[in-house]
């Protein structure tokens, strides 16, 4: 007999429970000793929170004592919020009712982010996810500083070999610390994710968009002259200024400053030098009033 309390499955007959039993959650943010940890899901209820009796115990203060729970069913796993202070999100959308997790979904509990894997070949999926963690930023899901350095190194060499144009944009959110201090880190994380989504939709597939720390981002524009890079930068600046950022019920006016640096394959130029030139122009944009592009 299946025990049932308030319409919640506590145990599930094995004949109803098939491919889903090999599923797991992979911790992908924040970084630290638990990044990459795998939490297998079985045929019993699992609770996530700060409480001592939670199955996945978190120390982050953005997480409630009993924040969310994951319940097995015949068609997979359902996640539900447990009246938490900061809410439970699936693919950045807050859930009010139990939500069936799909393979590859992102589950956010406070500041902590997990990826749900339910594929038949769970080991292959898991190791692929670990590789992704080495090249992607866990919060924004764009490339990280490590991958940026590797990509830029290749493109600078190619630019010099073929005397082709190459440009980079250094982006920074204006007054981000003030925003973080006044509305909290959850709002700051929301802004970073939302900004990354807006910019990602305006970057070509052959270019690279990466987060290199805090509120700082870099875009590598291959086969792009300085004039072309300035046009791209202005388009991105305007897109962010016009975008409606709304955290919970609070509208947020957000702007960015951008520095532009370019090369046509000058010998002796290094990726570090190109980054330095872009950063200098970014600081100039900050000094001269913010919400502008300097090249």
């Amino acid at each position: 007999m299946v025990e049932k309390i308030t319409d919640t499955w506590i145990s599930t007959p094995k004949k109803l429970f098939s491919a889903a039993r090999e599923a797991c959650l992979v911790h992908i943010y924040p970084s630290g000793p638990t990044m990459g940890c795998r939490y297998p899901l079985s045929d019993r209820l699992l609770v996530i929170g700060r409480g001592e009796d939670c199955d996945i115990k978190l120390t982050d203060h953005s997480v409630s004592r009993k924040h969310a729970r994951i319940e097995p069913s015949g068609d997979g796993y359902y996640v539900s919020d447990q009246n938490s202070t900061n809410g439970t999100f699936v693919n950045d959308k807050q859930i009010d009712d139990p939500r069936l997790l799909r393979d590859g979904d992102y589950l956010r509990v406070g500041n902590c982010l997990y990826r749900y894997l339910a594929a038949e070949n769970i080991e292959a999926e898991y190791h692929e996810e670990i590789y992704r963690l080495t090249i992607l930023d866990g919060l924004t899901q764009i490339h990280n500083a490590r991958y940026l350095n590797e990509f830029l190194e290749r493109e600078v060499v190619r630019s010099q070999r073929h005397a082709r144009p190459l440009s980079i944009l250094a982006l920074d959110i204006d007054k981000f610390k003030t925003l973080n201090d006044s509305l909290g880190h959850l709002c700051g994380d929301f802004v970073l994710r939302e900004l990354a989504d807006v910019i990602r939709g305006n970057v070509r597939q052959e270019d690279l968009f990466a987060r290199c720390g805090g509120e700082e981002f870099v875009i590598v524009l291959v086969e792009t002259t300085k004039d072309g890079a300035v046009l791209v930068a202005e388009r991105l600046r305007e897109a962010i200024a016009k975008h409606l950022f709304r955290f919970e019920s609070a509208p947020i006016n957000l702007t960015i400053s951008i520095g532009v640096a370019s090369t046509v394959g000058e010998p002796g130029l290094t990726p570090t030098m190109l980054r330095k030139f872009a950063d200098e122009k970014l600081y100039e944009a900050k000094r001269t009033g913010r919400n502008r592009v300097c090249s």
Side-chain angles (χ1 to χ4, degrees), residues 134-153:
T134 68
I135 64 172
L136 294 185
D137 173 60
L139 178 66
T140 60
Q141 292 301 294
I142 61 175
H143 285 99
N144 59 18
R146 170 184 172 179
Y147 190 82
L148 167 65
N149 293 335
E150 295 174 357
F151 184 90
L152 187 57
E153 179 78 37

Side-chain angles (χ1 to χ4, degrees), residues 237-252:
R237 183 192 62 79
E238 292 176 3
I240 295 301
K242 292 177 180 177
H243 184 77
L244 177 61
F245 291 84
R246 183 179 294 277
F247 179 70
E248 296 176 347
S249 59
I252 301 169

Side-chain angles (χ1 to χ4, degrees), residues 231-289:
L231 290 175
V232 172
E234 286 289 359
R235 186 173 72 244
L236 294 175
R237 183 192 62 79
E238 292 176 3
I240 295 301
K242 292 177 180 177
H243 184 77
L244 177 61
F245 291 84
R246 183 179 294 277
F247 179 70
E248 296 176 347
S249 59
I252 301 169
N253 295 319
L254 199 72
T255 61
I256 57 174
S257 297
I258 305 177
V260 181
S262 299
T263 178
V264 287
E266 292 88 351
L269 181 74
T270 66
T272 300
M273 292 167 62
L274 194 60
R275 287 280 304 277
K276 182 174 181 290
F277 295 151
D279 285 341
E280 289 173 352
K281 290 302 176 180
L282 170 61
Y283 298 145
E284 180 181 332
K286 294 283 192 181
R287 288 195 307 267
T288 56

Side-chain angles (χ1 to χ4, degrees), residues 148 152 166-172 199 202-203 207-212 216-222 224-237 256-262 274-275 277-279 281-282 293-295:
L148 167 65
L152 187 57
L166 174 69
S167 297
I168 68 171
L169 310 181
L171 295 77
D172 188 271
I199 293 179
N202 287 277
V203 174
D207 298 329
L208 178 74
F209 177 36
R211 182 185 179 198
C212 51
E216 300 173 4
F217 299 84
V218 169
I219 300 176
V220 182
L221 302 171
V222 300
T224 304
T225 63
K226 183 180 76 171
D227 290 344
V230 169
L231 290 175
V232 172
E234 286 289 359
R235 186 173 72 244
L236 294 175
R237 183 192 62 79
I256 57 174
S257 297
I258 305 177
V260 181
S262 299
L274 194 60
R275 287 280 304 277
F277 295 151
D279 285 341
K281 290 302 176 180
L282 170 61
V293 174
C294 287
S295 66

